[in-house]
Amino acid sequence: MVQLGLIGLGKMGFNMRERLRKAGHEVVGYDRNPDVTDVASLADLVGALAAPRTVWIMVPAGDPTRQTVEELRELLSEGDLVIDGGNSRFTDDSANSASLAEKGIGYLDCGVSGGVWGLEVGYGLMVGGEHKWVEQAMPIFDALRPEGPREEGFAHAGPVGAGHFSKMVHNGIEYGLMQAYAEGFELLEASELVTDVPATIKAWQRGTVVRSWLLDLLVRALDSDPELDDLRGYVEDSGEGRWTVEEAINHSVPAPVISAALFARFASRQDDSPAMRAVAALRNQFGGHAVHMAGPSSGGGSTH
């Protein structure tokens, strides 16, 4: 049994605490939400842990994570360890690590995949940092990862930053996979030949080369809403797809699928795309192609 301080008890952090406790570990959780927190402050969390302490951060990327790291820097002691398990940009990790190292505090960045299902099936973990800190935290990693061989759910990906870089690429791939499934769904829906789209997609779950956990989740969604018409086609992006495309540019690596999937998310947020209005206008100008004029309630351009 080991102790862990866990900061951030949202959808993933809450379930991570439960999975670790089920594995027999002691977890002291802190969250601003008084309904889920175990302690009232970061100072109380640190005070509840015996040295050498391990504290895992699961808060939003950017300033919230950076501020939490700086607060911990003043509360923790030499030999303690901080793990950032959020979706931070890998470029933040070197600064966080250097700041903590001045006080003799270790730092690991850990990409965590598993979403709300991780409590039941475990989390895929990609870690960056020094080997000694990885070994210190290994009981925690082993409890969080899926059952089975360690190498199939855990990787010490490299030095500081490697964990979040790996998770960034992972999420970029996820963008492309989801977009491919979505386009396939739309094409099946558009066809007059395919009369049972949910059954067709469900049949892909066994034996086909496109079977995957994401496909299983699409089938689950179709089971409850066969046309997916309860949803609006508006899709946010949390940053990792953008960063993946930026790094592809920086390394001169062609990534057309991931790039297209990212831009498709941008397009999903436009009720009336200015770009598509321009394309329609051009087609009308050079080829006399018909155009659909915007109605008074559409929010589009002039109908004159």
Side-chain angles (χ1 to χ4, degrees), residues 117 205 215-225:
W117 296 89
Q205 288 183 281
L215 179 66
D216 294 343
L217 294 178
L218 177 57
V219 169
R220 178 185 173 91
L222 290 170
D223 282 344
S224 60
D225 182 9

Side-chain angles (χ1 to χ4, degrees), residues 3 7 11 16 43 86 110 153 163 190 192 201 225 237 255 273 304:
Q3 278 188 322
I7 302 170
K11 292 178 181 179
M16 289 169 64
C110 183
E192 296 178 355
I201 293 177
D225 182 9
D237 67 287
S273 166
H304 297 296

Side-chain angles (χ1 to χ4, degrees), residues 34-88:
D35 294 332
V36 298
T37 195
D38 298 318
V39 291
S41 67
L42 287 183
D44 289 346
L45 179 141
V46 172
L49 302 174
R53 306 169 187 87
T54 299
V55 179
W56 190 305
I57 303 172
M58 290 296 291
V59 302
D63 287 340
T65 294
R66 287 190 287 266
Q67 291 166 6
T68 302
V69 169
E70 286 307 302
E71 289 184 53
L72 288 173
R73 182 180 185 273
E74 303 307 315
L75 293 169
L76 295 174
S77 305
E78 183 176 355
D80 292 343
L81 171 64
V82 172
I83 303 172
D84 177 11
N87 280 327
S88 296

Side-chain angles (χ1 to χ4, degrees), residues 166-246:
S166 300
K167 179 58 163 42
M168 173 192 74
V169 175
H170 164 282
N171 283 23
I173 293 170
E174 181 184 297
Y175 275 46
L177 289 172
M178 286 193 289
Q179 186 64 26
Y181 285 131
E183 291 174 9
F185 166 75
E186 183 171 351
L187 184 55
L188 289 170
E189 283 277 296
S191 169
E192 296 178 355
L193 290 173
V194 180
T195 57
D196 193 337
V197 173
T200 300
I201 293 177
K202 183 175 288 190
W204 296 348
Q205 288 183 281
R206 298 286 183 270
T208 77
V209 296
V210 298
R211 64 189 185 272
S212 73
W213 187 40
L214 282 174
L215 179 66
D216 294 343
L217 294 178
L218 177 57
V219 169
R220 178 185 173 91
L222 290 170
D223 282 344
S224 60
D225 182 9
E227 304 294 330
L228 298 183
D229 52 10
D230 290 342
L231 304 174
R232 182 184 170 202
Y234 184 106
V235 185
E236 292 284 6
D237 67 287
S238 55
E240 296 90 339
R242 299 182 187 217
W243 303 337
T244 304
V245 172
E246 289 177 12

